[in-house]
Amino acid sequence: MPDLDAYLEQHSGRFESELCDLLRIASISADSAHRGDVRRAAQWVADQFRALKLDVELAETAGNPIVLATSAPVPGAPTVLVYGHYDVQPPDPLDQWTSPPFEPTVRGGNLYARGATDDKGQMFTHIKAAEAWIRTAGRLPVQLKFVIEGEEEVGSQNLEPFIAANTERLACDCVVISDNSQFAAGLPAITYGLRGIAYYELRLAGPKQDLHSGTFGGGVANPANALCAMLSALVNERGQVQIPGFYDDVEPLTAREREAFGRLPFDEAEFMRKLEVAALAGEEGFTTLERRWARPTFDISGLTSGYQGEGAKTVLPARATAKFSFRLVPRQDPKKISAALEQRLRALCPPGITLELIDFHGAPGIVVPLDSPYVAAAQRAIEAGFGRVPVFMREGGSIPVVAAFHDLLGVDTLLLGWGLDDDNTHSPNEKFCLADFHRGIKASAHLWHELSQIKKS
Ligand code: BES
Ligand code: ZN
């Protein structure tokens, strides 16, 4: 191997300042007012690859562009597809940020900004690792195909058709993604499972306009009341989802996996302390890790109805809406869930209320096999980067494209998360530990070497 470590050391300051440049771009995919910023972020990422003399294309889609960059083929060595995303979640609530979300700031060894860990910072580690190889050895030891998209945070709807239309061009031996977390600070992991998701908006409508709740209350169905009743009927007091057929395709956890989860150093009291909650909650009969990683769930993400201003207002609102999702486990089919949900909601909807259900996006859950030379290579690379052998874990979040890579390209994904559970992803004060940023770059640089040792005919 060339002297990559010296190069990484020498250029670490610049890597951080470049990441800050990317973090200053408010590439919020959910908010159409930021379409220009989303494009600027795509351009910025493409320019990084151009500087490395990769073959670069900004592929247009019906939504945000996909940045594609390919390095030279390496005969006899595997081809590795690196996926990441340059879009970020909306930063609100803004007043809860200590420093503004798009003004990256270092405090206590952490870099604070929206996207710091999810996923700009983690994605960038692979670009810098490629740079280290190209600048020291003159070439990469494996062929890399980067696919960096701009719609992950809104469900990757345009990516799947793009992959389907470009299977030859994207052909590879394995996929690498860093868009998730380590097990804990100082304990890196290889993630072998993610949950899927099915995300909806339910809109209820009652009378033609808001009414006086004294004059009309008791006589007219209240959409806000109906929304509360309908949503609460979707889960029972034992934490079980109440939709016929919801659990039909859920595979029980094996005793072996439950044991393996149980051996991980998860400290429930510490978990509660950090979140400032007095108790944990979820489906009866499962541990917290089981419930977060390997059981389906129902969570409301937003509720809107009636008067939200200061003071009291006696009103019977004409409309009520909720945004909510189910996290799914492998084999549960989001389309089947949508059909069953719609039927259940129609049955729950009281007279005098009409409903509209909007199906935003869905993705299946995944598990990947651990007995592969690619996983063994990743283990060694992580040990080199982080100084510690990684543990195996699953995670509760979703990365929709992983299933598409499997189904359309026939390849498995290495999920190598450099983040931490307390990085505040999707919430105020998102951060990325700078030491982990540099360890991630080192692990990635070693990964290209380790993967190059897997001989392909
Ligand atoms: N980085 C996350 C995915 C993630 C989070 C994986 C935590 C493992 C642990 C990703 O950017 C994300 O948030 N995905 C969305 C997908 C959805 C919008 C389809 C998610 O999980 O909510
Ligand atoms: Zn992400």
Side-chain angles (χ1 to χ4, degrees):
M1 258 177 80
D3 194 359
L4 297 165
D5 295 353
Y7 182 89
L8 299 182
E9 186 98 2
Q10 237 167 7
H11 295 271
S12 62
R14 175 174 54 82
F15 294 169
E16 290 178 15
S17 69
E18 286 179 357
L19 174 57
C20 289
D21 290 341
L22 177 59
L23 291 171
R24 278 187 203 99
I25 307 175
S27 47
I28 307 163
S29 51
D31 185 349
S32 58
H34 286 274
R35 210 161 283 159
D37 291 327
V38 165
R39 290 204 156 255
R40 275 207 298 137
Q43 278 297 354
W44 191 95
V45 173
D47 286 343
Q48 282 281 325
F49 292 125
R50 287 190 191 108
L52 298 179
K53 304 267 184 315
L54 302 196
D55 187 10
V56 185
E57 188 195 329
L58 214 62
E60 289 300 334
T61 68
N64 300 332
I66 300 166
V67 185
L68 295 170
T70 308
S71 67
V74 182
T79 296
V80 183
L81 191 154
V82 182
Y83 165 85
H85 61 96
Y86 64 78
D87 66 321
V88 300
Q89 286 274 332
D92 15 349
L94 279 174
D95 59 343
Q96 288 181 27
W97 285 77
T98 304
S99 50
F102 297 106
E103 291 175 26
T105 307
V106 179
R107 287 193 298 277
N110 293 310
L111 179 59
Y112 286 84
R114 170 58 86 234
T117 185
D118 184 8
D119 176 43
K120 288 173 174 173
Q122 294 200 59
M123 174 272 286
F124 200 49
T125 62
H126 297 300
I127 301 182
K128 294 297 104 177
E131 176 191 307
W133 270 94
I134 291 168
R135 298 281 182 251
T136 53
R139 64 174 194 92
L140 280 152
V142 291
Q143 183 178 34
L144 294 182
K145 295 181 176 179
F146 285 91
V147 176
I148 313 296
E149 72 150 322
E151 298 186 340
E152 197 274 348
E153 299 292 7
V154 288
S156 298
Q157 304 291 61
N158 292 301
L159 183 59
E160 196 174 317
F162 179 83
I163 296 170
N166 291 277
T167 51
E168 243 162 73
R169 184 175 177 193
L170 300 177
C172 58
D173 297 289
C174 75
V175 176
V176 171
I177 300 179
S178 296
D179 187 20
N180 51 302
S181 294
Q182 306 173 60
F183 180 76
L187 187 49
I190 293 179
T191 293
Y192 67 93
L194 292 173
R195 287 194 291 189
I197 190 167
Y199 196 109
Y200 306 92
E201 181 168 318
L202 174 62
R203 296 182 181 165
L204 299 186
K208 66 167 184 173
Q209 67 186 66
D210 288 2
L211 303 172
H212 191 293
S213 66
T215 313
F216 296 95
V220 176
N222 180 328
N225 292 27
L227 187 67
C228 293
M230 289 167 69
L231 292 176
S232 60
L234 293 181
V235 60
N236 68 11
E237 65 290 347
R238 302 167 67 191
Q240 298 159 335
V241 174
Q242 299 296 291
I243 298 174
F246 185 83
Y247 291 96
D248 282 2
D249 300 320
V250 174
E251 286 192 337
L253 270 149
T254 63
R256 216 169 130 202
E257 196 168 30
R258 296 186 95 163
E259 267 166 44
F261 285 9
R263 276 197 302 273
L264 289 167
F266 178 64
D267 181 342
E268 204 140 285
E270 168 79 355
F271 183 72
M272 295 198 317
R273 198 186 54 72
K274 275 194 167 165
L275 297 176
E276 297 180 25
V277 294
L280 297 176
E283 190 183 3
E284 200 176 279
F286 296 93
T287 67
T288 305
L289 286 186
E290 289 166 357
R291 297 196 307 250
R292 289 168 57 212
W293 293 352
R295 293 295 298 172
T297 47
F298 165 67
D299 276 290
I300 300 167
S301 292
L303 288 168
T304 312
S305 186
Y307 181 64
Q308 317 263 329
E310 197 182 330
K313 180 187 183 195
T314 48
V315 66
L316 191 162
R319 310 249 176 281
T321 68
K323 293 178 194 285
F324 59 89
S325 69
F326 300 91
R327 293 286 168 173
L328 309 177
V329 296
R331 304 185 84 89
Q332 277 184 301
D333 174 0
K335 287 205 184 70
K336 257 170 88 175
I337 301 292
S338 295
L341 171 70
E342 173 128 24
Q343 212 174 16
R344 172 88 171 121
L345 289 174
R346 291 209 180 276
L348 289 167
C349 190
I353 301 284
T354 56
L355 78 76
E356 185 187 0
L357 182 67
I358 296 153
D359 188 341
F360 270 105
H361 54 71
I366 56 107
V367 281
V368 297
L370 290 174
D371 56 348
S372 87
Y374 301 101
V375 171
Q379 262 179 309
R380 290 191 293 272
I382 289 176
E383 193 177 354
F386 286 77
R388 192 136 180 215
V389 180
V391 295
F392 293 115
M393 64 186 273
R394 285 168 72 163
E395 284 192 79
S398 311
I399 304 177
V401 75
V402 176
F405 285 136
H406 180 268
D407 297 348
L408 299 168
L409 301 180
V411 289
D412 286 317
T413 294
L414 291 170
L415 291 157
L416 314 177
W418 315 141
L420 295 172
D421 271 355
D422 67 359
D423 277 344
N424 301 324
T425 56
H426 298 201
S427 70
N429 302 312
E430 178 175 347
K431 65 164 174 71
F432 191 18
C433 166
L434 282 169
D436 284 332
F437 172 59
H438 295 294
R439 290 191 270 254
I441 299 172
K442 187 170 170 184
S444 173
H446 280 259
L447 182 64
W448 310 146
H449 166 72
E450 293 293 346
L451 291 171
S452 75
Q453 304 302 298
I454 301 170
K455 293 299 165 225
K456 299 294 295 179
S457 48

